[in-house]
Amino acid sequence: MHTVKILAPVVETFTKPNEFRRVFGCNLETWSAIQQVERRQSAAESVCDYLGKSQGSYLAYEALMAIMNDDDNSARLALYVPFEFMYRGWEKLNREYVQAWMKLLAHRDVRESFNFGDIYEPEASEGEPERVVKCLHLLPWMIETQLLRPSELFKILDLHKDDKLLRSSVYDCLEMFPDWKGLSDEDIEKLKQYQAEDNYERPKPKLLKITEARKKWLNECNGVAVKRLVVDFAADVSFSTRLEGFREVTIREAENLKPNEVLLVGGSRVKGYYSPGSDYDFYRCDLSILEEVDPNKVHKVFDMFWISKDSEIEQKRAAIVKKYMELPADSPVRRDCLNRLESDLLQFRLMHKGFPYAYGADLSGGTKRFEKIDGASAFYDSRYREVASKLYAKYVFIPQL
């Protein structure tokens, strides 16, 4: 009888230098990656220890900046930094934040990913998801705190005269600017004139039919709006602490695995937030399905527990993970993989379900009424932004060989 082996998610290995050395070795090939893991661990510990606390908050902000300026891909963290840091007056770190934020002007995000996750199924819709330059929806806070001057905002617009999608993302903030400080009445009128001259509306998908899956999803969302459903909310705690909650059922599920099959376990219960009706997500597959680098599967490789009866499963998984670690720093595939980890850990479930389960409709109080920026989303909630920053610091990371 083969012993069932349970491997914690790979992203957790990336937070522990000694564990990383054990799994991937300590030699010339891995030396640079080990140093990256050590730097990331140190920064993530500062973020998790001090973020949200009055003492040590400078260390938290400094660590956030170290991560987002580590490489161009990590600049994505600028989307999630709590707004409170913009008021601190730490000039050097504020400049570093703006440098990272500027890199995001080239990013085109699916708008609904930062809202309620109402992304239509391909078979039930027509057209691509609506996209937005999401970093621009942070403009009201950046201008109010003088991280960005009005003249710099207009310079961005003038430098991107042909980028209608980018400019339209700025105009989304027009409904907010009168209530936020920083822009004069003349500035706001000038923006409105730019908007009228552009006369542009972003393409949106068309829903063709309501599937049964969508009906179920809508009913679930309506239930969240009525009452808080959460019974556990600890999204910034390590995955391994939750293993005991599903060890027995996992071992039972693993008994019938074929020699080259693995059982992957994920879902909101594994990640630390769930409603009473939630269960673990079990995904059974042949190992060969996971062997090729694929941004659409990277969350299965990195964010889930692996269960197998293969005595060499840890070495086999390490060989698969190394393929991702070997991607060049400027590789579009590496970027897409990191973006998929971001969406898996910070958006889908956490933003769309975790926080509504925890707090019901009590989210993003100051921005709820601003529909153009999807102001009712947890994205603008200070509690969400703190947890999301911690999760990004710890887990949205692929060291490079």
Side-chain angles (χ1 to χ4, degrees), residues 111-118 134 351-352 374-379:
R111 176 182 175 180
E112 195 58 33
S113 293
F114 291 86
N115 192 26
F116 299 117
D118 189 7
K134 192 61 185 180
M351 187 191 300
H352 307 154
D374 301 310
S377 165
F379 178 69

Side-chain angles (χ1 to χ4, degrees), residues 8 34 41 75 90 137 168 230 298 301 357 371 376:
I34 291 169
Q41 181 209 30
W90 295 323
H137 286 177
S168 72
V230 77
V298 65
V301 177
Y357 283 162
E371 295 182 4

Side-chain angles (χ1 to χ4, degrees), residues 9 23 41 47 60 68 121 123 151 205 254 256 369 378:
V23 174
Q41 181 209 30
V47 172
M68 72 177 68
E121 301 138 299
E123 68 273 16
S151 61
N256 296 320
R369 67 186 187 277

Side-chain angles (χ1 to χ4, degrees), residues 231-243:
V231 296
D232 177 28
F233 188 76
D236 56 336
V237 179
S238 68
F239 293 103
S240 293
T241 59
R242 306 186 187 104
L243 176 58

Side-chain angles (χ1 to χ4, degrees), residues 1-7 247-257 263 306-311 313:
M1 180 178 177
H2 294 286
T3 302
V4 173
K5 294 182 72 75
I6 302 176
L7 306 181
R247 184 189 293 273
E248 287 189 16
V249 66
T250 291
I251 291 174
R252 288 199 305 271
E253 290 279 342
E255 285 301 320
N256 296 320
L257 285 175
L263 182 69
W306 281 44
I307 293 88
S308 173
K309 293 191 290 184
D310 185 340
S311 61
I313 189 60

Side-chain angles (χ1 to χ4, degrees), residues 256-292:
N256 296 320
L257 285 175
K258 296 177 182 177
N260 205 45
E261 280 188 330
V262 291
L263 182 69
L264 306 178
V265 184
S268 51
R269 281 184 178 265
V270 165
K271 294 176 182 175
Y273 43 95
Y274 58 92
S275 68
S278 294
D279 206 343
Y280 299 104
D281 288 348
F282 292 93
Y283 180 73
R284 182 171 172 166
C285 68
D286 191 89
L287 190 62
S288 61
I289 293 175
L290 304 172
E291 288 178 346
E292 296 302 319

